[in-house]
Amino acid sequence: MTPATPDHRAAPAAWWRLTWWRYRQLMGVAYAAPTVFFVAVFFITPLLLVARMSLSSWPLLTGNGGLNFPKNYLSIWKNALFGPAVVFTIEYTLIVTVLLIGLGLGLALLVQERGRWVDMLRTVILLPVSLGLAAASLLFWGFYSPSIGPINPILEQLGLIHDPISFLGTSLSALLSTSFLIVWKYTGLYMLILLVGLQAIPDDLFEAAALDGASRIQVFRHITLPLLRPSLALALILCVTGSLLAFDQFYILTKGAPDNSTVTVVQLIYREAFQKQNLGTSAAISIMVLVALLVLNTVQFRYLRSSEPGLKR
Amino acid sequence: MTTPRDGLAVLGPALAFALLMSNYVCSSKAQIKPEAFPLAALAAGPATYGVDDGTHITLWSRAATQARADALVKAYNATHKNHIDATYVPTDDYQTKVGAAAAAGGLPDLFSADVVFMPNWTSAGLFTDITDKIATLPFAANIAQGAINVSTWKGRKYGLPFVVDLSVWMYNKKLFKAAGLDPNKPPTTLAEFAADARAVQKLGGNVHGTFFGGDCGGCEVFTWFPIAWADGETVMNPEGTESHLNSAENKGIYATFRSLVEDGTALMPDTKTETGPTWTGYFPKGNIGIMPMPASLQGMANSSLADADIGVTPIAGLKGGQATLVGGDAIGISRDSKVANAAWNFLAWMVSDEAQIEVVAKGGNVLARPDLANNKYSAADPRLVIFNTVAAKGQTPFAKAFGATFNDPQGPWLVLLRDAVFGDASKIDADNAAINASLNP
């Protein structure tokens, strides 16, 4: 934008341009205002209240009972379920992230070509994404149930098993059964994210590599993967964050069973608030998780961004 | 995409958290002021039966007991000028909803509670004191006392029995016959229960001796606590602050069920994995010999279990005796109600002879008035008489921190129960210490 010129013939235009600029500034503020409003009302204010709650004695039924810092935070360390919940949440996150990103990438590579059956395949893989997580969890709870589930009777009819499989009965089977649900539900989403990234890679790079006699593996390692990095970064952050906040699937499928071996951190937050009716300790755990996520996301971005220029070479 | 917008991505999870928290925020705007009870409104109203002048009364209850609660509401609306607007809340969300409404001063006129949660709510001052109103009822002494006892806080009464649920033993008469047992001689001790289950187990095939919800704390509160009570023993002190769940009596109960699990009489792996939602679904399938069940025959009979084969007997102790857990819902007038006298009209009618016989007994359900156990409807089915007479021998456990201790899937009672039956039984004493800690937060 050039400033107004001293030329008097241009003055009306300059006058108009200035106003237009100011008008644009005002428009900018107007456009941003709803977002600012919603962020302030639905994010900043609750966050401050949660912070205050975490510093206060705040029973669910009787409300604010005044400051008691640092009691809520100290009680986290005395909570016997906290350590195992953190370990389990991380364990679950690792399993699910490896499976989702790996399978998502594999499927994206598989369906990136055009073709009639490919369109159908994409749709089929993507369909579960449109289902709500709670609804999907309830559906799988029915499948896995030893009392009403259809899977065991079918497998028994086929003669594949003699004794029914206890899908949610042991800590390992409960973890794997829940991971299976999540993989079924979300692989399509990660396939889509990575597919968009794949299709953004210019074809001439692949052609040039083919002319140079590069093998398929070399093309994947030195062209596809580096150029897919931004999409992979997005997928990774979404997946890790989502998994660390896992709640619905475990709340519905396992309720933390068997023997508290599938309790996630967010389940603990819920338990403190609504079973033990203590919003103070619940808020304290929330704040801890928020800080952990901020640190983790920052580290992920730093790592992924700092390595980008090197890869552009 | 080459420069990810880290601001947004960091905000994402943070926003998710803030939204999660905003739920708590809403429920914390107002504080509870116990002195704000509309006592003046109560004192001014007509005694005994309240007023029936066309007032609209709001009522909340949980979905689990909706059928029986709604039968009472519909009958009341059909016969009174007052009108009850009932809302049935999904059971798992009910505590949360009441908690949020309590904090915001938005409780309905009447609301019910699973009886075990009553102390938690009466102690927080959510209900109006109805001690004097109950005393004016001519049949006050005949109302099932279990629900009233748990609705009493510091000597004042806040609730009446709304829906009554009992635990009994149910046995399959057809399987008893096939196993060579007398279908008209149900067990009278826990040892006989186990022996009968083992006899049925010998039939083999897909028939099993017994079943219980082994990963469900509430199920065993409902069905094992009465075993100790039948022997005259206790599970807690009356104040609900000290657990006796590691007593010799209770250890004997766990040992019996442990042996049924170990020798395969209890259906496995279902017994070990049942977390509660389907535990009552097994007996009606017709292949379980004997197991504890809620006392309701509604919808039990089907193609694989004839009504005539459903045997009912009271829960017995290790040595004998009879007992039950009087569960279900208690109901009271909220402290926020502006129409307490109209709301009381519903409560007084609800426990009257008329409602109990023509609505509750007619529907084949357990009465809130044990004195009416022998009525024209129960005469047709002796099992209903068993339900109603055992109700008089029932107890309701009392503890302020009941939910977090016994119903919570991550609570300490479930840890004790699973160690005692499936795991390392030597940990019972240590687990009991955890229960004591939970009872005294």
Side-chain angles (χ1 to χ4, degrees), chain A:
Chain A
M1 198 50 56
T2 51
T5 61
D7 186 353
H8 69 276
R9 278 176 303 174
W15 170 86
W16 177 83
R17 232 184 292 165
L18 255 180
T19 316
W20 176 79
W21 178 230
R22 297 195 81 180
Y23 171 74
R24 262 187 66 101
Q25 280 184 313
L26 281 175
M27 280 291 283
V29 171
Y31 278 132
T35 312
V36 171
F37 174 77
F38 281 115
V39 167
V41 170
F42 293 111
F43 176 60
I44 308 281
T45 317
L47 196 63
L48 291 176
L49 265 161
V50 170
R52 186 170 153 222
M53 245 176 220
S54 76
L55 307 174
S56 313
S57 155
W58 203 305
L60 177 71
L61 291 178
T62 49
N64 191 354
L67 291 181
N68 73 344
F69 182 79
K71 201 172 161 227
N72 293 334
Y73 286 92
L74 292 179
S75 79
I76 298 177
W77 309 116
K78 281 188 233 146
N79 188 335
L81 290 171
F82 185 73
V86 170
V87 172
F88 175 74
T89 308
I90 293 172
E91 206 175 270
Y92 164 79
T93 302
L94 287 177
I95 292 177
V96 164
T97 306
V98 168
L99 285 175
L100 279 179
I101 306 280
L103 280 173
L105 183 59
L107 286 171
L109 290 168
L110 200 68
V111 302
Q112 65 170 328
E113 311 296 334
R114 292 223 162 273
R116 212 188 313 163
W117 68 273
V118 168
D119 284 343
M120 204 188 76
L121 196 60
R122 280 185 198 171
T123 313
V124 167
I125 299 169
L126 205 56
L127 264 180
V129 177
S130 60
L131 200 64
L133 180 53
S137 303
L138 203 57
L139 180 73
F140 273 68
W141 179 84
F143 284 157
Y144 292 151
S145 162
S147 144
I148 58 169
I151 299 180
N152 274 323
I154 292 173
L155 291 179
E156 276 171 27
Q157 285 284 311
L158 292 173
L160 292 173
I161 53 169
H162 291 295
D163 294 313
I165 302 170
S166 181
F167 290 103
L168 303 170
T170 67
S171 41
L172 182 66
S173 69
L175 174 59
L176 294 181
S177 301
T178 312
S179 303
F180 181 79
L181 153 72
I182 294 301
V183 168
W184 172 81
K185 166 126 176 53
Y186 284 112
T187 303
L189 178 70
Y190 293 98
M191 176 196 79
L192 196 69
I193 293 172
L194 296 173
L195 191 63
V196 172
L198 274 179
Q199 290 180 337
I201 302 174
D203 281 342
D204 41 358
L205 284 177
F206 292 112
E207 280 163 25
L211 284 175
D212 289 345
S215 71
R216 271 167 171 268
I217 295 174
Q218 280 174 319
V219 169
F220 180 73
R221 276 196 55 191
H222 298 290
I223 297 179
T224 314
L225 264 192
L227 290 173
L228 203 56
R229 201 170 187 105
S231 300
L232 277 172
L234 175 70
L236 199 64
I237 282 160
L238 279 178
C239 190
V240 167
T241 309
S243 309
L244 288 176
L245 294 179
F247 175 73
D248 310 35
Q249 59 270 46
F250 288 105
Y251 181 73
I252 292 170
L253 272 183
T254 71
K255 292 197 170 108
D259 303 315
N260 294 339
S261 62
T262 61
V263 180
T264 67
V265 176
V266 181
Q267 268 175 294
L268 273 194
I269 296 176
Y270 180 87
R271 173 174 184 255
E272 286 296 325
F274 298 116
Q275 294 280 359
K276 307 193 88 178
Q277 307 184 334
N278 188 337
L279 294 183
T281 51
S282 175
I285 305 179
S286 307
I287 295 283
M288 301 287 291
V289 174
L290 183 64
V291 169
L293 280 179
L294 278 172
V295 170
L296 188 70
N297 277 331
T298 315
V299 168
Q300 273 181 312
F301 272 114
R302 283 279 153 76
Y303 171 72
L304 291 162
R305 203 184 341 182
S306 66
S307 45
E308 256 170 42
L311 285 155
K312 274 181 182 161
R313 253 178 282 147

Side-chain angles (χ1 to χ4, degrees), chain B residues 234-244 398-399 436 439:
Chain B
T234 53
V235 292
M236 282 184 284
N237 65 346
E239 295 78 29
T241 53
E242 183 190 298
S243 161
H244 302 156
F398 179 96
N436 277 324
L439 289 173

